[in-house]
Amino acid sequence: MAHQLRTTIIRTTTLSLGSLAFLELTTHLPSEGRSSLAYHHFFDHVVTPLGRRLFSPENAHHLALEVVRLGLAPRGRVAGGGGDHAVDMTVEIGSDGQGRKLIFDSPIGLAAGFDKNGEAIEGLFDLGFSYVEIGSVTPLPQPGNAKPRSFRLVEDKGVINRFGFNSEGVDMVRQHLIDYREAFGGRGAGLKKEETKSDEEVIVSVESTTEESRKDTSEPSEEEEGDAVIEEDKALRIVKSMGNSVMWSLGWVWHHFMTSQPRTGILGVNLGKNKTSDDEIGDYTTGIRELGPYADYLVINVSSPNTPGLRSLQQREPLQHLLTSTLKARNSYAPHAPLFVKLAPDLTEEEMEDVAQVVMETGIDGMIVSNTTNARPDSLLSHNKHEVGGLSGAPIRDRSTECIRTMYRLTNGSIPIIGVGGVGSGRDAYDKLKAGASLIQVYSMMVYEGPGLISRIRKELADIVEENGYSSVDEVVGADCEEIYWDRREERVKRKMEEAEKEIVDL
């Protein structure tokens, strides 16, 4: 079995690399470093389906992350190019007065979960995202729940996961952020390096806690299921060993001769708590202190369904205490970074009212709506629908949009919202903007649509915005809530007039 799998992987990889080299040699250089349409098509319609067929969800995820890290994934076209030239795609969050103003080239970013440890930030920006959110990162390394812990719902274009905040911890992630900032600049660039644990120390720390975690988080696996996981782990090690030699060399050539200057953007860091910790405020404060100096914005994740007791922090009093404490920590250790809180889609109307009251009282900078859901819609067809964990992808799209609309209304449009959940087209993104989101995040739908999805969403969104008579994406935000929308538009016009008057006076 292992020999047959190895042979299949080697043949497939050889054929794929040869095809990629041909496509890029003939089309990449003339397009100023952007990947060709053929290269995108190859990844979306050949590589992505093949990965689903050959590998388990988690191993396919690791391979995709490695491809992105090495710079072999298709590069998206530059923001503002092509079909979106007539629409202003930039988004501004925060204000200069607080020193936390962020300007995004487009509203399309990557949700947390894909790059949990900040290993492939450069490659992710090259895909075409205007901002990338890494994490969730926990203070101490932890392995997460036992495998298998990720499941595709192919018929529904959904994913169920119960990872449980598997993380290398703040020490390792901080080093990744330091390396990235030293190479590309931005927040934290030039700060004095602090001592961090070596890769070997972190790996040993993770492995030493794996056995205890498995005892606590899941029942023993079936014997044949365990064999399948072992075989796939062997296959993953084979491919990774190739990545350490042949693929690394190919990546080096790609970076130095085949691509233009790598792109950068806004970098967010999503923070979580350790499973065995009883001090959630201490955990989030550690994340802010250690990683905040290198982040453009920070996220307090209190909505993962896979960490026991975490979602209880969304109740009014615990949330008030948590946000008040973490805002103080932010002001001390990372005063430049807007602080967001990530919410679940399973909150009742009354619970959402409490959350809205708390975020307005505390002055949190924004919300991310929403995380995965524990609910299982009756429309689900896949046999994996009964797996325990959080559901994401297309099945959660409408619920997420409705939650955005509700939170926008309850906060009177005063708190910026990042909308996430089932975004697989420009229309999906447009619906979330109309509901009240200022920014959009993508993740699970790339499992089915491939990396070319990012460029397609951006172009489709620009076309829809223009077709509906808007000149910018900012004009679309909250259009479903008419009363709030027109008040907000009046404020925007007034602000622009004041800025124009100031420029005239300065002249």
Side-chain angles (χ1 to χ4, degrees):
M1 174 65 181
H3 177 72
Q4 183 180 1
L5 189 58
R6 180 191 178 101
T7 301
T8 301
I9 291 171
I10 293 175
R11 287 178 178 174
T12 302
T13 304
T14 302
L15 178 61
S16 299
L17 291 178
S19 301
L20 295 182
F22 175 77
L23 286 171
E24 288 296 85
L25 281 170
T26 55
T27 61
H28 196 112
L29 292 174
S31 64
E32 299 177 351
R34 301 190 306 273
S35 292
S36 65
L37 182 61
Y39 192 52
H40 274 287
H41 186 87
F42 180 76
F43 250 87
D44 293 346
H45 300 286
V46 178
V47 176
T48 299
L50 193 62
R52 291 200 306 269
R53 188 177 186 87
L54 291 178
F55 300 103
S56 70
E58 185 163 357
N59 283 344
H61 176 183
H62 290 317
L63 288 173
L65 186 63
E66 188 73 0
V67 168
V68 173
R69 186 185 69 82
L70 291 169
L72 302 179
R75 290 168 57 91
R77 57 189 177 81
V78 293
D84 57 13
H85 64 279
V87 174
D88 182 3
M89 298 289 281
T90 59
V91 177
E92 295 184 6
I93 296 292
S95 64
D96 286 327
Q98 298 175 320
R100 301 190 190 104
K101 183 176 181 179
L102 295 177
I103 300 177
F104 300 78
D105 290 336
S106 89
I108 310 303
L110 176 68
F114 181 78
D115 187 359
K116 291 177 177 291
N117 301 302
E119 302 172 82
I121 299 170
E122 173 191 344
L124 289 169
F125 280 123
D126 283 344
L127 290 179
F129 290 113
S130 72
Y131 66 105
V132 168
E133 187 176 311
I134 67 167
S136 295
V137 185
T138 56
L140 299 176
Q142 63 179 32
N145 295 327
K147 300 177 183 180
R149 53 191 179 181
S150 182
F151 308 88
R152 301 185 190 100
L153 282 67
V154 177
E155 299 88 343
D156 310 292
K157 287 193 173 182
V159 175
I160 291 176
N161 89 81
R162 49 173 180 262
F163 282 108
F165 282 170
N166 52 313
S167 172
E168 292 182 351
V170 295
D171 285 344
M172 183 71 80
V173 174
R174 183 178 64 240
Q175 189 58 54
H176 293 160
L177 294 181
I178 289 172
D179 292 342
Y180 173 75
R181 290 306 194 189
E182 285 193 340
F184 296 98
R187 291 293 177 185
L191 286 182
K192 182 180 178 181
K193 284 191 179 183
E194 298 179 18
E195 289 189 6
T196 58
K197 295 181 181 178
S198 67
D199 290 3
E200 292 78 9
E201 288 176 320
V202 173
I203 291 170
V204 169
S205 178
V206 172
E207 290 178 344
S208 66
T209 55
T210 300
E211 187 63 30
E212 180 182 352
S213 173
R214 287 182 175 175
K215 289 178 181 178
D216 292 341
T217 57
S218 65
E219 298 177 358
S221 301
E222 296 284 345
E223 183 177 349
E224 56 272 13
E225 191 174 62
D227 291 342
V229 172
I230 291 172
E231 290 295 341
E232 289 201 10
D233 284 344
K234 286 181 179 178
L236 182 61
R237 286 196 296 271
I238 292 170
V239 175
K240 279 198 170 184
S241 68
M242 296 175 65
N244 289 333
S245 52
V246 177
M247 291 184 71
W248 185 92
S249 300
L250 185 58
W252 188 90
V253 173
W254 229 266
H255 278 302
H256 288 76
F257 298 105
M258 298 291 289
T259 67
S260 56
Q261 180 67 26
R263 288 196 294 272
T264 60
I266 304 296
L267 177 61
V269 178
N270 187 301
L271 304 173
K273 67 179 287 290
N274 281 114
K275 177 188 173 184
T276 57
S277 173
D278 295 324
D279 182 13
E280 58 271 359
I281 291 176
D283 278 14
Y284 288 115
T285 297
T286 297
I288 292 171
R289 182 184 67 240
E290 300 300 324
L291 305 181
Y294 309 98
D296 292 309
Y297 73 88
L298 295 163
V299 181
I300 302 299
N301 188 351
V302 293
S303 52
S304 169
N306 303 313
T307 297
L310 186 68
R311 285 193 168 187
S312 65
L313 296 176
Q314 295 175 111
Q315 301 302 310
R316 185 183 179 94
E317 290 186 8
L319 185 63
Q320 180 101 32
H321 184 44
L322 176 65
L323 295 187
T324 299
S325 300
T326 51
L327 281 167
K328 288 180 180 178
R330 187 277 310 273
N331 293 340
S332 296
Y333 301 115
H336 65 275
L339 189 65
F340 287 73
V341 61
K342 189 166 186 176
L343 305 173
D346 303 319
L347 298 172
T348 65
E349 179 79 20
E350 183 179 354
E351 288 172 331
M352 284 193 279
E353 290 176 1
D354 287 342
V355 170
Q357 193 66 33
V358 169
V359 298
M360 289 190 292
E361 289 175 358
T362 59
I364 199 80
D365 297 292
M367 302 174 286
I368 299 183
V369 185
S370 63
N371 211 320
T372 59
T373 180
N374 281 324
R376 298 293 184 266
D378 294 335
S379 60
L380 294 180
L381 301 174
S382 173
H383 67 279
N384 284 328
K385 64 183 179 181
H386 299 299
E387 291 289 346
V388 174
L391 171 66
S392 61
I396 198 180
R397 179 180 55 231
D398 294 341
R399 174 59 183 165
S400 167
T401 303
E402 187 55 40
C403 287
I404 293 168
R405 186 176 293 110
T406 300
M407 293 307 298
Y408 185 81
R409 174 176 54 81
L410 291 173
T411 57
N412 200 36
S414 62
I415 309 294
I417 296 174
I418 298 178
V420 56
V423 177
S425 68
R427 173 60 64 179
D428 297 337
Y430 181 74
D431 289 343
K432 281 179 164 49
L433 291 172
K434 286 182 63 183
S438 296
L439 297 163
I440 305 296
Q441 287 183 338
V442 180
Y443 177 16
S444 294
M445 292 302 290
M446 288 196 297
V447 172
Y448 301 99
E449 303 293 336
L453 177 66
I454 302 109
S455 293
R456 291 196 297 274
I457 289 177
R458 193 172 61 239
K459 183 183 184 307
E460 290 171 7
L461 176 60
D463 290 343
I464 294 172
V465 168
E466 187 174 16
E467 288 168 3
N468 283 271
Y470 300 106
S471 61
S472 70
V473 293
D474 186 58
E475 293 178 0
V476 180
V477 177
D480 286 348
C481 305
E482 290 191 13
E483 184 175 346
I484 298 175
Y485 175 77
W486 288 109
D487 287 344
R488 188 170 171 271
R489 185 160 186 169
E490 183 178 342
E491 291 176 1
R492 185 165 58 245
V493 171
K494 182 179 179 181
R495 185 173 64 250
K496 288 183 177 180
M497 290 179 63
E498 291 174 350
E499 291 174 354
E501 289 176 359
K502 186 175 182 301
E503 289 180 3
I504 293 174
V505 171
D506 291 341
L507 290 174

